[in-house]
Amino acid sequence: MKREQLAEFMRRMEPQSVAIIASAREAVRSNDTHYRFRQDSDFYYLTGFDEPEAIAVISPDAEKPYTLFVRPRDPERETWDGPRAGVEGAIERYGADAAFPIDEFRAKLDEIIQGKRTLYYRFGTRHELDQMIIEAIARMRALGRRGIVPPRTITDTGAILHEMRLIKSEAEIALIERAADITAEAHREAMRAARPGMHEYEVEALIEYVFRRHGATAAYTSIVGSGENATVLHYSANNAVIREGDLLLIDAGAEYQGYAADITRTFPVSGRFSRPQRELYEVVLETQKACIAMIRPGVSMDELHNRSVELLTEGLVRLGLLQGAPSKLIEDGDYKKFYMHRLGHYLGMDVHDVGLYYVDGQSRKLEPGMVITIEPGLYVARTQEVNEDYRGIGVRIEDDVLVTAEGHRVLTAGVPKEVEEIEQFIARARVEERAA
Ligand code: GLY
Ligand code: MN
Ligand code: MN
């Protein structure tokens, strides 16, 4: 039985074509130790096969349309690294029509591509395989007189696959919802537990404990930034001591069975927003809610982003952080001192998921089944020459939103984000803790 995704991929391939799709490789962390293995999303989407050193060859018109090249069984290595499916398992458990040891790929490559009109392959991510394919094509060009011809067209696999991945199936939505629920629980746990005097990494540990407790991992390096660390967009040191009066910005998301969530919340560790914190927070919150409210099929990502720029710029002017007419400040890009990223991105197997954002030069319109993040932020670096009250404050609020036929559904609503809601949530947590 082929996975539905694989069957659909085959339906979309050109006649007389073949696709070559490689697994991820093990990545060295230091010397001879590796990072935890994470399968390549494209490869996993099609095959469900979770081992390194594998290649899928897919050719719908061939006698055996689906071939897997895999690591062969090896009792000695399996004692160290765990079981392998092997050639037999690739056929019996993963539905391949044929399977071979990965070491035979090179020798079979000419046979695989010869006579096919189109080769689907994504150049630029695996240089050794790129080279192997280029050499095979060059070799074949020299053999035309014997009737051996290489594919005329080489198409990025993503042209089919990433379009498929962009529109989520019911089963995929269920997994993203599960990742979102786990992530929401982790953020609530952090909001309850964070205190002045703790290190940021203690909060990171709590969040990732919740992820692991549910069989998930962190989809990306968690950002736990207190005080002015929240103004550093990719802060990940997470090693400062949280101080009384700080806002804590947490951007963390679980990956569950290959699908990611991505939530940011910003809250006062002492339980109450100061006036300047609250003022900035409310500008971001109102922007975030207004942009979410716009989400429905037919609206483009640029329309959403542009609306966030307008609302944040107007807010910055109201607070005196920018002076002048908002339209001019937008035209000149002055708002970028405080809002330097885009409003959001596609979400799925990759946290910054695949799929084109522009089609024929036009910002793409939303369609049912897309999942996007909405994450406006304002970041007033300590060095900005503005009213001192606002310096060193960073705020981002991020939710994950499914586009539906009727409009949208927020998948991450389970974490407080209204000012009063956050303050009450923290106050209640303190009371419960004292009572316990
Ligand atoms: N955590 C990555 C992002 O928010 O885009
Ligand atoms: Mn994000
Ligand atoms: Mn994020």
Side-chain angles (χ1 to χ4, degrees), residues 219-223 233-234 251-253 261-264 341-347 351-352 373 375 396 398 400:
Y220 53 91
T221 306
S222 304
I223 297 171
L233 293 182
H234 286 164
D251 183 346
D262 184 8
I263 299 181
T264 307
H341 57 74
R342 298 284 297 180
L343 176 66
H345 51 83
Y346 302 140
L347 179 72
V351 67
H352 294 165
T373 68
E375 48 180 308
R396 178 165 63 256
E398 175 174 30
D400 305 340

PDB file of all heavy atoms in Angstrom, residues 219-223 233-234 251-253 261-264 341-347 351-352 373 375 396 398 400, ligand 1:
ATOM      1  N   ALA A 219      10.788  22.170  17.779  1.00  0.00           N
ATOM      2  CA  ALA A 219      10.840  22.280  16.318  1.00  0.00           C
ATOM      3  C   ALA A 219      11.972  23.205  15.867  1.00  0.00           C
ATOM      4  O   ALA A 219      12.373  23.177  14.711  1.00  0.00           O
ATOM      5  CB  ALA A 219       9.506  22.798  15.786  1.00  0.00           C
ATOM      6  N   TYR A 220      12.456  24.038  16.789  1.00  0.00           N
ATOM      7  CA  TYR A 220      13.568  24.960  16.512  1.00  0.00           C
ATOM      8  C   TYR A 220      14.114  25.373  17.866  1.00  0.00           C
ATOM      9  O   TYR A 220      13.497  25.077  18.901  1.00  0.00           O
ATOM     10  CB  TYR A 220      13.088  26.179  15.699  1.00  0.00           C
ATOM     11  CG  TYR A 220      11.910  26.879  16.329  1.00  0.00           C
ATOM     12  CD1 TYR A 220      12.075  27.926  17.220  1.00  0.00           C
ATOM     13  CD2 TYR A 220      10.606  26.458  16.062  1.00  0.00           C
ATOM     14  CE1 TYR A 220      10.993  28.546  17.819  1.00  0.00           C
ATOM     15  CE2 TYR A 220       9.513  27.072  16.656  1.00  0.00           C
ATOM     16  CZ  TYR A 220       9.722  28.115  17.531  1.00  0.00           C
ATOM     17  OH  TYR A 220       8.648  28.714  18.132  1.00  0.00           O
ATOM     18  N   THR A 221      15.258  26.023  17.876  1.00  0.00           N
ATOM     19  CA  THR A 221      15.868  26.418  19.142  1.00  0.00           C
ATOM     20  C   THR A 221      14.962  27.419  19.852  1.00  0.00           C
ATOM     21  O   THR A 221      14.625  28.469  19.300  1.00  0.00           O
ATOM     22  CB  THR A 221      17.252  27.041  18.889  1.00  0.00           C
ATOM     23  OG1 THR A 221      18.018  26.113  18.125  1.00  0.00           O
ATOM     24  CG2 THR A 221      17.969  27.322  20.197  1.00  0.00           C
ATOM     25  N   SER A 222      14.561  27.085  21.068  1.00  0.00           N
ATOM     26  CA  SER A 222      13.630  27.947  21.805  1.00  0.00           C
ATOM     27  C   SER A 222      14.298  29.285  22.133  1.00  0.00           C
ATOM     28  O   SER A 222      15.475  29.338  22.493  1.00  0.00           O
ATOM     29  CB  SER A 222      13.214  27.281  23.116  1.00  0.00           C
ATOM     30  OG  SER A 222      12.673  26.009  22.869  1.00  0.00           O
ATOM     31  N   ILE A 223      13.521  30.344  21.993  1.00  0.00           N
ATOM     32  CA  ILE A 223      13.992  31.684  22.352  1.00  0.00           C
ATOM     33  C   ILE A 223      13.329  32.055  23.674  1.00  0.00           C
ATOM     34  O   ILE A 223      12.098  32.089  23.760  1.00  0.00           O
ATOM     35  CB  ILE A 223      13.596  32.708  21.270  1.00  0.00           C
ATOM     36  CG1 ILE A 223      14.275  32.365  19.940  1.00  0.00           C
ATOM     37  CG2 ILE A 223      13.916  34.136  21.718  1.00  0.00           C
ATOM     38  CD1 ILE A 223      13.785  33.201  18.748  1.00  0.00           C
ATOM     39  N   LEU A 233      16.307  39.470  17.835  1.00  0.00           N
ATOM     40  CA  LEU A 233      15.305  38.619  17.174  1.00  0.00           C
ATOM     41  C   LEU A 233      15.601  37.135  17.293  1.00  0.00           C
ATOM     42  O   LEU A 233      14.707  36.339  17.535  1.00  0.00           O
ATOM     43  CB  LEU A 233      15.183  39.014  15.700  1.00  0.00           C
ATOM     44  CG  LEU A 233      14.595  40.405  15.488  1.00  0.00           C
ATOM     45  CD1 LEU A 233      14.472  40.702  14.011  1.00  0.00           C
ATOM     46  CD2 LEU A 233      13.250  40.564  16.180  1.00  0.00           C
ATOM     47  N   HIS A 234      16.862  36.749  17.116  1.00  0.00           N
ATOM     48  CA  HIS A 234      17.182  35.316  17.180  1.00  0.00           C
ATOM     49  C   HIS A 234      17.958  34.984  18.446  1.00  0.00           C
ATOM     50  O   HIS A 234      18.828  34.122  18.439  1.00  0.00           O
ATOM     51  CB  HIS A 234      17.975  34.889  15.944  1.00  0.00           C
ATOM     52  CG  HIS A 234      17.125  34.812  14.709  1.00  0.00           C
ATOM     53  ND1 HIS A 234      17.639  34.757  13.439  1.00  0.00           N
ATOM     54  CD2 HIS A 234      15.786  34.787  14.562  1.00  0.00           C
ATOM     55  CE1 HIS A 234      16.645  34.717  12.564  1.00  0.00           C
ATOM     56  NE2 HIS A 234      15.518  34.733  13.222  1.00  0.00           N
ATOM     57  N   ASP A 251       9.581  32.320  22.466  1.00  0.00           N
ATOM     58  CA  ASP A 251       9.201  31.845  21.125  1.00  0.00           C
ATOM     59  C   ASP A 251       9.644  30.397  21.068  1.00  0.00           C
ATOM     60  O   ASP A 251      10.844  30.113  20.964  1.00  0.00           O
ATOM     61  CB  ASP A 251       9.898  32.694  20.060  1.00  0.00           C
ATOM     62  CG  ASP A 251       9.490  32.303  18.634  1.00  0.00           C
ATOM     63  OD1 ASP A 251       8.885  31.233  18.450  1.00  0.00           O
ATOM     64  OD2 ASP A 251       9.796  33.083  17.716  1.00  0.00           O
ATOM     65  N   ALA A 252       8.685  29.478  21.191  1.00  0.00           N
ATOM     66  CA  ALA A 252       9.029  28.057  21.251  1.00  0.00           C
ATOM     67  C   ALA A 252       7.900  27.261  20.627  1.00  0.00           C
ATOM     68  O   ALA A 252       6.731  27.619  20.768  1.00  0.00           O
ATOM     69  CB  ALA A 252       9.247  27.615  22.699  1.00  0.00           C
ATOM     70  N   GLY A 253       8.252  26.171  19.959  1.00  0.00           N
ATOM     71  CA  GLY A 253       7.231  25.348  19.321  1.00  0.00           C
ATOM     72  C   GLY A 253       7.623  23.884  19.321  1.00  0.00           C
ATOM     73  O   GLY A 253       8.798  23.546  19.145  1.00  0.00           O
ATOM     74  N   ALA A 261       4.583  23.383  15.533  1.00  0.00           N
ATOM     75  CA  ALA A 261       3.808  24.556  15.943  1.00  0.00           C
ATOM     76  C   ALA A 261       4.812  25.657  16.250  1.00  0.00           C
ATOM     77  O   ALA A 261       6.017  25.400  16.347  1.00  0.00           O
ATOM     78  CB  ALA A 261       2.954  24.247  17.161  1.00  0.00           C
ATOM     79  N   ASP A 262       4.351  26.879  16.418  1.00  0.00           N
ATOM     80  CA  ASP A 262       5.261  28.025  16.545  1.00  0.00           C
ATOM     81  C   ASP A 262       4.510  29.136  17.267  1.00  0.00           C
ATOM     82  O   ASP A 262       3.724  29.849  16.643  1.00  0.00           O
ATOM     83  CB  ASP A 262       5.687  28.445  15.122  1.00  0.00           C
ATOM     84  CG  ASP A 262       6.712  29.567  15.119  1.00  0.00           C
ATOM     85  OD1 ASP A 262       7.214  29.939  16.188  1.00  0.00           O
ATOM     86  OD2 ASP A 262       6.995  30.071  14.010  1.00  0.00           O
ATOM     87  N   ILE A 263       4.735  29.233  18.581  1.00  0.00           N
ATOM     88  CA  ILE A 263       3.998  30.225  19.387  1.00  0.00           C
ATOM     89  C   ILE A 263       4.986  31.190  20.032  1.00  0.00           C
ATOM     90  O   ILE A 263       6.047  30.770  20.501  1.00  0.00           O
ATOM     91  CB  ILE A 263       3.184  29.542  20.514  1.00  0.00           C
ATOM     92  CG1 ILE A 263       2.136  28.579  19.946  1.00  0.00           C
ATOM     93  CG2 ILE A 263       2.515  30.581  21.425  1.00  0.00           C
ATOM     94  CD1 ILE A 263       1.271  27.885  21.016  1.00  0.00           C
ATOM     95  N   THR A 264       4.628  32.460  20.061  1.00  0.00           N
ATOM     96  CA  THR A 264       5.363  33.437  20.881  1.00  0.00           C
ATOM     97  C   THR A 264       4.392  34.111  21.836  1.00  0.00           C
ATOM     98  O   THR A 264       3.295  34.519  21.425  1.00  0.00           O
ATOM     99  CB  THR A 264       6.042  34.516  20.015  1.00  0.00           C
ATOM    100  OG1 THR A 264       6.846  33.883  19.021  1.00  0.00           O
ATOM    101  CG2 THR A 264       6.927  35.423  20.865  1.00  0.00           C
ATOM    102  N   HIS A 341      10.900  42.421  10.681  1.00  0.00           N
ATOM    103  CA  HIS A 341      10.661  41.117  10.042  1.00  0.00           C
ATOM    104  C   HIS A 341       9.282  41.105   9.394  1.00  0.00           C
ATOM    105  O   HIS A 341       8.519  42.060   9.505  1.00  0.00           O
ATOM    106  CB  HIS A 341      10.815  39.976  11.059  1.00  0.00           C
ATOM    107  CG  HIS A 341       9.929  40.081  12.271  1.00  0.00           C
ATOM    108  ND1 HIS A 341       8.576  39.829  12.232  1.00  0.00           N
ATOM    109  CD2 HIS A 341      10.203  40.397  13.559  1.00  0.00           C
ATOM    110  CE1 HIS A 341       8.071  39.970  13.444  1.00  0.00           C
ATOM    111  NE2 HIS A 341       9.026  40.337  14.270  1.00  0.00           N
ATOM    112  N   ARG A 342       8.987  40.007   8.717  1.00  0.00           N
ATOM    113  CA  ARG A 342       7.676  39.877   8.067  1.00  0.00           C
ATOM    114  C   ARG A 342       6.633  39.447   9.099  1.00  0.00           C
ATOM    115  O   ARG A 342       6.957  38.958  10.174  1.00  0.00           O
ATOM    116  CB  ARG A 342       7.749  38.839   6.948  1.00  0.00           C
ATOM    117  CG  ARG A 342       8.711  39.186   5.839  1.00  0.00           C
ATOM    118  CD  ARG A 342       8.196  40.238   4.900  1.00  0.00           C
ATOM    119  NE  ARG A 342       6.993  39.811   4.187  1.00  0.00           N
ATOM    120  CZ  ARG A 342       6.357  40.575   3.301  1.00  0.00           C
ATOM    121  NH1 ARG A 342       6.820  41.795   3.018  1.00  0.00           N
ATOM    122  NH2 ARG A 342       5.275  40.142   2.699  1.00  0.00           N
ATOM    123  N   LEU A 343       5.384  39.585   8.726  1.00  0.00           N
ATOM    124  CA  LEU A 343       4.292  39.273   9.658  1.00  0.00           C
ATOM    125  C   LEU A 343       4.197  37.789   9.966  1.00  0.00           C
ATOM    126  O   LEU A 343       3.812  37.406  11.069  1.00  0.00           O
ATOM    127  CB  LEU A 343       2.965  39.762   9.061  1.00  0.00           C
ATOM    128  CG  LEU A 343       1.713  39.432   9.874  1.00  0.00           C
ATOM    129  CD1 LEU A 343       1.724  40.173  11.207  1.00  0.00           C
ATOM    130  CD2 LEU A 343       0.453  39.788   9.089  1.00  0.00           C
ATOM    131  N   GLY A 344       4.521  36.948   8.998  1.00  0.00           N
ATOM    132  CA  GLY A 344       4.363  35.513   9.267  1.00  0.00           C
ATOM    133  C   GLY A 344       4.871  34.669   8.135  1.00  0.00           C
ATOM    134  O   GLY A 344       5.462  35.167   7.177  1.00  0.00           O
ATOM    135  N   HIS A 345       4.651  33.388   8.261  1.00  0.00           N
ATOM    136  CA  HIS A 345       5.179  32.429   7.283  1.00  0.00           C
ATOM    137  C   HIS A 345       4.291  31.196   7.264  1.00  0.00           C
ATOM    138  O   HIS A 345       3.467  30.994   8.148  1.00  0.00           O
ATOM    139  CB  HIS A 345       6.616  32.058   7.663  1.00  0.00           C
ATOM    140  CG  HIS A 345       6.785  31.629   9.108  1.00  0.00           C
ATOM    141  ND1 HIS A 345       6.533  30.358   9.536  1.00  0.00           N
ATOM    142  CD2 HIS A 345       7.136  32.332  10.221  1.00  0.00           C
ATOM    143  CE1 HIS A 345       6.753  30.280  10.835  1.00  0.00           C
ATOM    144  NE2 HIS A 345       7.101  31.471  11.285  1.00  0.00           N
ATOM    145  N   TYR A 346       4.507  30.346   6.253  1.00  0.00           N
ATOM    146  CA  TYR A 346       3.810  29.067   6.207  1.00  0.00           C
ATOM    147  C   TYR A 346       4.356  28.169   7.315  1.00  0.00           C
ATOM    148  O   TYR A 346       5.535  28.243   7.673  1.00  0.00           O
ATOM    149  CB  TYR A 346       4.039  28.370   4.862  1.00  0.00           C
ATOM    150  CG  TYR A 346       3.612  29.147   3.634  1.00  0.00           C
ATOM    151  CD1 TYR A 346       4.391  29.137   2.489  1.00  0.00           C
ATOM    152  CD2 TYR A 346       2.425  29.876   3.623  1.00  0.00           C
ATOM    153  CE1 TYR A 346       4.009  29.820   1.344  1.00  0.00           C
ATOM    154  CE2 TYR A 346       2.034  30.567   2.476  1.00  0.00           C
ATOM    155  CZ  TYR A 346       2.831  30.541   1.349  1.00  0.00           C
ATOM    156  OH  TYR A 346       2.451  31.208   0.224  1.00  0.00           O
ATOM    157  N   LEU A 347       3.504  27.310   7.801  1.00  0.00           N
ATOM    158  CA  LEU A 347       3.888  26.395   8.885  1.00  0.00           C
ATOM    159  C   LEU A 347       3.465  24.983   8.501  1.00  0.00           C
ATOM    160  O   LEU A 347       2.382  24.792   7.926  1.00  0.00           O
ATOM    161  CB  LEU A 347       3.167  26.832  10.163  1.00  0.00           C
ATOM    162  CG  LEU A 347       3.393  26.018  11.431  1.00  0.00           C
ATOM    163  CD1 LEU A 347       4.807  26.252  11.973  1.00  0.00           C
ATOM    164  CD2 LEU A 347       2.372  26.424  12.502  1.00  0.00           C
ATOM    165  N   VAL A 351       9.239  24.444  10.209  1.00  0.00           N
ATOM    166  CA  VAL A 351       8.615  25.585  10.896  1.00  0.00           C
ATOM    167  C   VAL A 351       8.460  26.755   9.928  1.00  0.00           C
ATOM    168  O   VAL A 351       7.416  27.435   9.936  1.00  0.00           O
ATOM    169  CB  VAL A 351       9.357  25.951  12.199  1.00  0.00           C
ATOM    170  CG1 VAL A 351      10.749  26.485  11.945  1.00  0.00           C
ATOM    171  CG2 VAL A 351       8.556  26.964  12.994  1.00  0.00           C
ATOM    172  N   HIS A 352       9.450  26.991   9.115  1.00  0.00           N
ATOM    173  CA  HIS A 352       9.282  27.922   7.992  1.00  0.00           C
ATOM    174  C   HIS A 352       9.007  27.026   6.800  1.00  0.00           C
ATOM    175  O   HIS A 352       9.927  26.535   6.142  1.00  0.00           O
ATOM    176  CB  HIS A 352      10.531  28.771   7.766  1.00  0.00           C
ATOM    177  CG  HIS A 352      10.806  29.701   8.916  1.00  0.00           C
ATOM    178  ND1 HIS A 352      11.994  30.339   9.107  1.00  0.00           N
ATOM    179  CD2 HIS A 352      10.015  30.107   9.943  1.00  0.00           C
ATOM    180  CE1 HIS A 352      11.938  31.091  10.199  1.00  0.00           C
ATOM    181  NE2 HIS A 352      10.744  30.960  10.721  1.00  0.00           N
ATOM    182  N   THR A 373       1.588  31.536  10.264  1.00  0.00           N
ATOM    183  CA  THR A 373       1.743  32.205  11.555  1.00  0.00           C
ATOM    184  C   THR A 373       1.440  33.690  11.371  1.00  0.00           C
ATOM    185  O   THR A 373       1.632  34.246  10.283  1.00  0.00           O
ATOM    186  CB  THR A 373       3.180  32.091  12.111  1.00  0.00           C
ATOM    187  OG1 THR A 373       4.060  32.855  11.278  1.00  0.00           O
ATOM    188  CG2 THR A 373       3.644  30.641  12.151  1.00  0.00           C
ATOM    189  N   GLU A 375       2.642  36.970  13.447  1.00  0.00           N
ATOM    190  CA  GLU A 375       3.563  37.272  14.539  1.00  0.00           C
ATOM    191  C   GLU A 375       4.170  38.677  14.470  1.00  0.00           C
ATOM    192  O   GLU A 375       5.383  38.838  14.326  1.00  0.00           O
ATOM    193  CB  GLU A 375       4.682  36.239  14.577  1.00  0.00           C
ATOM    194  CG  GLU A 375       5.363  35.950  13.228  1.00  0.00           C
ATOM    195  CD  GLU A 375       6.472  34.917  13.365  1.00  0.00           C
ATOM    196  OE1 GLU A 375       7.336  35.101  14.230  1.00  0.00           O
ATOM    197  OE2 GLU A 375       6.463  33.939  12.602  1.00  0.00           O
ATOM    198  N   ARG A 396       6.664  40.367  21.028  1.00  0.00           N
ATOM    199  CA  ARG A 396       6.139  39.673  19.846  1.00  0.00           C
ATOM    200  C   ARG A 396       5.013  38.765  20.327  1.00  0.00           C
ATOM    201  O   ARG A 396       5.089  38.204  21.421  1.00  0.00           O
ATOM    202  CB  ARG A 396       7.229  38.850  19.142  1.00  0.00           C
ATOM    203  CG  ARG A 396       6.696  38.072  17.933  1.00  0.00           C
ATOM    204  CD  ARG A 396       7.771  37.521  16.987  1.00  0.00           C
ATOM    205  NE  ARG A 396       8.651  36.547  17.575  1.00  0.00           N
ATOM    206  CZ  ARG A 396       9.901  36.762  17.965  1.00  0.00           C
ATOM    207  NH1 ARG A 396      10.426  37.968  17.819  1.00  0.00           N
ATOM    208  NH2 ARG A 396      10.634  35.809  18.494  1.00  0.00           N
ATOM    209  N   GLU A 398       2.637  35.633  18.720  1.00  0.00           N
ATOM    210  CA  GLU A 398       2.582  34.758  17.538  1.00  0.00           C
ATOM    211  C   GLU A 398       1.587  33.621  17.740  1.00  0.00           C
ATOM    212  O   GLU A 398       1.659  32.888  18.721  1.00  0.00           O
ATOM    213  CB  GLU A 398       3.972  34.161  17.276  1.00  0.00           C
ATOM    214  CG  GLU A 398       3.994  33.151  16.144  1.00  0.00           C
ATOM    215  CD  GLU A 398       5.399  32.669  15.790  1.00  0.00           C
ATOM    216  OE1 GLU A 398       6.270  32.634  16.687  1.00  0.00           O
ATOM    217  OE2 GLU A 398       5.626  32.326  14.616  1.00  0.00           O
ATOM    218  N   ASP A 400      -0.729  30.461  15.429  1.00  0.00           N
ATOM    219  CA  ASP A 400      -0.772  29.629  14.223  1.00  0.00           C
ATOM    220  C   ASP A 400      -2.218  29.546  13.764  1.00  0.00           C
ATOM    221  O   ASP A 400      -3.107  29.256  14.577  1.00  0.00           O
ATOM    222  CB  ASP A 400      -0.231  28.228  14.526  1.00  0.00           C
ATOM    223  CG  ASP A 400       1.168  28.274  15.127  1.00  0.00           C
ATOM    224  OD1 ASP A 400       1.848  29.315  14.964  1.00  0.00           O
ATOM    225  OD2 ASP A 400       1.577  27.285  15.760  1.00  0.00           O
TER     226      ASP A 400
HETATM  227  N1  GLY B   1      10.385  30.691  15.651  1.00  0.00           N
HETATM  228  C1  GLY B   1      10.657  31.074  14.354  1.00  0.00           C
HETATM  229  C2  GLY B   1       9.671  32.043  13.871  1.00  0.00           C
HETATM  230  O1  GLY B   1       8.873  32.529  14.636  1.00  0.00           O
HETATM  231  O2  GLY B   1       9.605  32.337  12.716  1.00  0.00           O
END
